[in-house]
Amino acid sequence: MVTRKELYDKCVRILSEKGFSENCGNEVSWVFQDVLGEKNICLSSGGVISREQEEKIVSVIERRSEGYPLQYLLGEWEFYGMRFKVGEGVLIPRQDTETLVDVVVNKYKNSDSLTLVDLCSGSGCIALALEKQLDCERICCVEKSEKAVGYLRENIAVHGSIAEVFVGDVLDDGLREKIPQADVIVCNPPYLTREDMEHLQREVTFEPETALYGGDDGLDFYREIVRRWKGRLKAGGGLAFEIGMGQEDEVMRLMIQHGFLNVRCRKDLCGINRCVIGEYPGNTM
Ligand code: GLN
């Protein structure tokens, strides 16, 4: 029978040989935790590993060694201190995106009874993290992918969220009319360029293209969303986007052009401008 330490070493070896993971030891520990159902893995002691568990662990590690995302294999991932269900068909929550949540939390932490709209919701990680931090009266999540909507609904249930799901395209005018006037609209749209799509990191190739590709220059959704959704903001309401590296000037310009005030960008923990936010004064005639 294999010991925990032997199995651990074997898995680290499998992972490091292929070179997709930069974090082999931790990844193996997470898979152990998941399969064995233990919160902390102790290699030198702890119960025996059954044949079945061993096979499960090795098969997960082998799949991971081919570059398949660990997050999909585990079926959930952490974002803003919360666990979110994920799997094929939904974008994996990224740490970069916590910047968008931080910016919105800072701006609205003293506001009451917010109506929040989250466009291109995916797993719902942004909306649900905001719900936990802010006083929200209504939360509307718009998502068009059926698969992503499955995870979104699951996450809403797991976290006991009040969020309402609107299945449809953010570019659909009919759908937009059903959404209430918002205090704040948040959105992490697809923003990779055509060029980016040709050089995706292996893991990212398993994620849905519809959640990644933002047209030739990556800016299609910003152009459409700013134009179509500004009228869905209450006077003084905020629009906050996540952006890709180097997109801040274009996105800020776009928002200013459409009448937004106080438009600014914020950096993520790596020092990259990751978020653009501004306020819409309303339809001043
Ligand atoms: N941040 C993601 C990536 O770099 C892209 C997600 C998006 O387009 N919103 O893979």
Side-chain angles (χ1 to χ4, degrees), residues 91-92 94 96-97 187-192 196-197 200-201 204 207 209-214 218 222 242-244 247 274:
L91 192 79
I92 297 165
R94 282 145 166 83
D96 299 338
T97 303
C187 178
N188 175 17
Y191 56 63
L192 297 188
D196 293 333
M197 294 304 289
L200 289 180
Q201 203 190 321
V204 183
E207 293 186 270
E209 186 181 323
T210 47
L212 296 168
Y213 182 50
Y222 301 103
E242 174 167 315
I243 56 162
Q247 292 175 330
R274 185 57 68 191

Side-chain angles (χ1 to χ4, degrees), residues 86-282:
V86 292
E88 261 185 46
V90 70
L91 192 79
I92 297 165
R94 282 145 166 83
Q95 196 179 13
D96 299 338
T97 303
E98 295 186 345
T99 309
L100 178 60
V101 176
D102 278 339
V103 166
V104 175
V105 168
N106 278 329
K107 180 163 165 55
Y108 291 98
K109 60 186 174 217
N110 297 320
S111 308
D112 300 322
S113 313
L114 293 166
T115 295
L116 183 113
V117 174
D118 178 29
L119 305 178
C120 312
S121 281
S123 65
C125 63
I126 298 170
L128 272 51
L130 287 172
E131 175 176 5
K132 189 146 179 221
Q133 304 296 325
L134 298 173
D135 179 18
C136 296
E137 185 176 82
R138 260 192 104 173
I139 300 176
C140 301
C141 293
V142 182
E143 174 53 53
K144 76 168 173 195
S145 147
E146 288 289 343
K147 270 195 179 160
V149 165
Y151 290 103
L152 175 58
R153 290 196 200 280
E154 228 184 306
N155 286 319
I156 287 173
V158 169
H159 292 287
S161 164
I162 60 162
E164 303 157 51
V165 178
F166 293 79
V167 183
D169 197 327
V170 297
L171 309 182
D172 173 352
D173 296 333
L175 179 135
R176 196 179 61 242
E177 298 309 314
K178 297 184 191 140
I179 308 274
Q181 294 292 111
D183 294 288
V184 52
I185 297 179
V186 292
C187 178
N188 175 17
Y191 56 63
L192 297 188
T193 64
R194 181 176 296 280
E195 161 103 34
D196 293 333
M197 294 304 289
E198 284 162 14
H199 302 98
L200 289 180
Q201 203 190 321
R202 170 86 172 159
E203 279 87 347
V204 183
T205 62
F206 295 98
E207 293 186 270
E209 186 181 323
T210 47
L212 296 168
Y213 182 50
D216 274 355
D217 65 355
L219 300 171
D220 283 3
F221 285 87
Y222 301 103
R223 280 187 280 264
E224 292 301 323
I225 288 171
V226 171
R227 181 168 72 81
R228 293 168 191 259
W229 284 86
K230 62 182 184 182
R232 269 285 159 253
L233 285 167
K234 295 180 186 171
L239 173 61
F241 280 119
E242 174 167 315
I243 56 162
M245 197 170 21
Q247 292 175 330
E248 61 274 16
D249 289 346
E250 277 300 308
V251 175
M252 290 200 299
R253 193 185 54 78
L254 197 66
M255 285 176 66
I256 292 165
Q257 210 176 52
H258 278 272
F260 281 80
L261 301 176
N262 199 14
V263 178
R264 66 256 187 220
C265 58
R266 288 286 176 269
K267 290 185 167 51
D268 64 20
L269 293 175
C270 300
I272 293 165
N273 281 314
R274 185 57 68 191
C275 171
V276 171
I277 182 166
E279 286 102 46
Y280 193 60

Side-chain angles (χ1 to χ4, degrees), residues 2-14 23-30 32 41 43 49 57 61:
V2 67
T3 67
R4 288 179 169 227
K5 179 75 169 83
E6 283 162 355
L7 183 59
Y8 177 87
D9 289 342
K10 173 178 167 180
C11 290
V12 170
R13 216 164 36 241
I14 297 175
N23 206 359
C24 301
N26 278 337
E27 293 202 7
V28 174
S29 296
W30 292 328
F32 269 52
I41 297 294
L43 294 178
I49 290 181
I57 289 172
I61 291 294

Side-chain angles (χ1 to χ4, degrees), residues 7-8 11-16 18-35 41 57-58 60-74 77 201 203:
L7 183 59
Y8 177 87
C11 290
V12 170
R13 216 164 36 241
I14 297 175
L15 271 192
S16 41
K18 293 283 176 67
F20 284 116
S21 166
E22 290 164 7
N23 206 359
C24 301
N26 278 337
E27 293 202 7
V28 174
S29 296
W30 292 328
V31 172
F32 269 52
Q33 282 175 10
D34 188 49
V35 174
I41 297 294
I57 289 172
V58 171
V60 169
I61 291 294
E62 275 172 349
R63 186 88 175 97
R64 173 68 191 118
S65 76
E66 294 155 7
Y68 193 77
L70 179 72
Q71 295 89 339
Y72 287 170
L73 291 166
L74 297 176
W77 197 242
Q201 203 190 321
E203 279 87 347

